[in-house]
Amino acid sequence: MATDPSPGEGPTRPVSVSLHEGTIAALKQRVGKRGLSAYVEALIQRQLERDRLRELIEDAEAEHGPVDQAAVEAKRAILRGDMADSADAA
């Protein structure tokens, strides 16, 4: 039984999308005409990952309650290296 490919897997095939001319011009300036498909593919994959992460967060909050924002900020301080501000966060 074959399964559907995951994002970024399987053969490529052309699709048609409509974009504003200014968006197309900005994309071509950034990546060139030949890099457009790869750039758009990467953007879509990243958005799909963000959507899935949001769903996981919503599921976790439904099960365990909302995230403690003070704890989140304390962990961010650790990641930034602001150890003095986060001594009691760990």
Side-chain angles (χ1 to χ4, degrees):
M1 180 174 169
T3 60
D4 290 332
S6 296
E9 297 179 346
T12 60
R13 63 185 179 104
V15 296
S16 176
V17 297
S18 299
L19 302 172
H20 294 280
E21 285 188 25
T23 302
I24 295 167
L27 283 169
K28 285 182 179 179
Q29 183 178 17
R30 179 168 297 275
V31 300
K33 186 176 180 178
R34 307 291 262 164
L36 189 62
S37 291
Y39 192 81
V40 171
E41 171 79 14
L43 290 173
I44 293 169
Q45 286 184 34
R46 186 167 51 245
Q47 186 61 47
L48 290 168
E49 290 170 355
R50 292 175 66 110
D51 292 348
R52 182 63 184 132
L53 181 57
R54 170 56 38 208
E55 291 166 1
L56 290 171
I57 291 169
E58 289 170 358
D59 290 348
E61 287 182 339
E63 184 175 341
H64 303 288
V67 173
D68 177 357
Q69 204 56 40
V72 170
E73 289 305 318
K75 297 301 182 189
R76 282 185 178 150
I78 291 170
L79 292 172
R80 286 190 306 260
D82 301 339
M83 299 305 288
D85 296 338
S86 60
D88 60 346

